[in-house]
Structure formats: C-alpha cells, structure tokens
C-alpha cells in the first residue's frame, strides 16, 4: 500500500502586498506543474502576511519539496505545524489550488495562525472551506 502523509506549514511572506495576488498565482501554476510529477496535491493560501500550505503525498516526496521550499526567497520562517500519516487524500485532483484572489480572509485560519494547532484537522477544515465553491 502507498504510504501517504499530510503536512501543513506556515511561513512569512516576503512578497510586497501590491503584487502578492499575481505572485501567488504564479507560485500555484509552477507548483501544480511540479507537484503533478511528484504525485503531490494540496492547497496554498496567503493570509495575514503568512503562507499556509497543506501538502499531501508520499513522505519522501514531501521531504524533498520542503528542502526546495526552504531555499525559496519568497518566504521565510517556515514552520511545519502539523504532519500526520493519512489513509487517503482530501485534495485529489488539486496538484495545487489557491482560493480566488477576492476571497475574504478566513476567521478560523486567522485564529490558527495566532495559535497554531499541532493537529491537521482544523487546518484542513479551514483550507477546504476557503477553496470550496461559495454556496
Ligand atoms: C509559498 C510557496 C509555496 C510553494 N509550493 C510549492 C509546491 O507545492 N510545489 C513545488 O514544486 N514548488 C512550490 N514552491 C516553489 C518552490 O519553492 C521551488 O521554487 C520549486 O520547487 C522549484 O525548485 P527550484 O527553484 O529549486 O528548481 C512554492 C514556493 C512558495 C514561495
């Protein structure tokens, strides 16, 4: 059976506010291309000056991506806040997805950023809500 991990990290964005939406779109585009080759899927958002990214995939593939991420100068102070073994992905089909640029900040995600949970579940709930179609 294929082993799968889910991890969530937060990092401080170094993007200037004016161009952050376009830069985020660029990151998502490149990430989706690269992640597809590594069978990684996930969600990325930028809120309160922090990136929050949930990544799902093979443990070794996630370890390798985290090394690349540490060298990326578009962010700093990367902290993996939660990492768990999972039996199935919640982000199948999303090599990388971000909420629409005009989406309101998610209040629960702001609370999590202020007081990070070591459990995946609350992050996953907030991120899935952010990318869900508005009712
Ligand atoms: C916030 C953020 C999230 C990123 N997410 C991913 C990702 O999910 N997958 C990926 O391959 N690269 C991602 N990148 C880009 C990587 O940091 C890196 O540029 C990319 O893997 C190419 O690696 P290289 O520049 O060493 O060739 C992300 C970058 C940032 C700033």
């Amino acid at each position: 059976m294929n082993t799968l991990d889910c991890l969530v990290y937060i990092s401080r964005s170094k993007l200037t506010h004016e161009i952050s939406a376009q830069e985020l779109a660029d990151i998502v585009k490149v990430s989706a291309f690269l992640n597809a080759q590594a069978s990684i899927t996930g969600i990325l958002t930028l809120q309160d000056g922090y990136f929050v990214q949930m990544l799902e995939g093979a443990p070794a593939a996630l370890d390798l991506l985290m090394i690349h991420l540490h060298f990326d100068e578009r962010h700093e102070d990367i902290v993996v806040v939660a990492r768990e073994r999972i039996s199935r992905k919640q982000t199948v089909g999303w090599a990388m997805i971000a909420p629409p640029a005009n989406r309101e900040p998610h209040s629960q995600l702001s609370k999590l950023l202020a007081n990070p949970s070591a459990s995946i579940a609350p992050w996953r709930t907030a991120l899935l809500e952010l990318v869900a179609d508005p009712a």
Side-chain angles (χ1 to χ4, degrees):
M1 205 182 83
N2 292 335
T3 309
L4 287 173
D5 273 6
C6 177
L7 77 76
V8 172
Y9 76 82
I10 59 179
S11 62
R12 196 194 313 267
S13 170
K14 290 168 77 178
L15 307 180
T16 51
H17 184 67
E18 292 70 32
I19 57 157
S20 59
Q22 184 53 49
E23 289 270 312
L24 181 64
D26 290 346
I27 291 170
V28 169
K29 195 171 163 191
V30 172
S31 298
F33 177 77
L34 294 172
N35 288 351
Q37 298 169 41
S39 298
I40 292 172
T41 56
I43 302 171
L44 173 65
T45 194
L46 179 57
Q47 186 169 308
D48 307 339
Y50 285 85
F51 288 111
V52 181
Q53 191 171 28
M54 181 168 87
L55 296 163
E56 297 184 315
L62 297 186
D63 291 340
L64 186 60
L65 174 53
M66 291 313 295
I67 292 171
H68 282 279
L69 285 165
H70 275 283
F71 285 104
D72 197 312
E73 296 192 345
R74 290 169 288 188
H75 62 174
E76 60 190 357
D77 300 340
I78 302 171
V79 179
V80 175
V81 288
R83 181 166 183 160
E84 293 171 13
R85 189 68 29 104
I86 52 172
S87 51
R88 66 184 180 89
K89 289 183 173 197
Q90 302 286 324
T91 55
V92 174
W94 294 333
M96 192 47 56
I97 188 173
N102 60 356
R103 199 89 193 211
E104 291 291 313
H106 192 283
S107 61
Q108 191 57 30
L109 197 57
S110 289
K111 287 182 190 157
L112 285 166
L113 282 166
N115 190 10
S117 168
S119 163
I120 290 284
W123 298 100
R124 179 193 284 137
T125 301
L127 290 167
L128 286 171
E129 280 175 12
L130 267 173
V131 297
D133 288 332

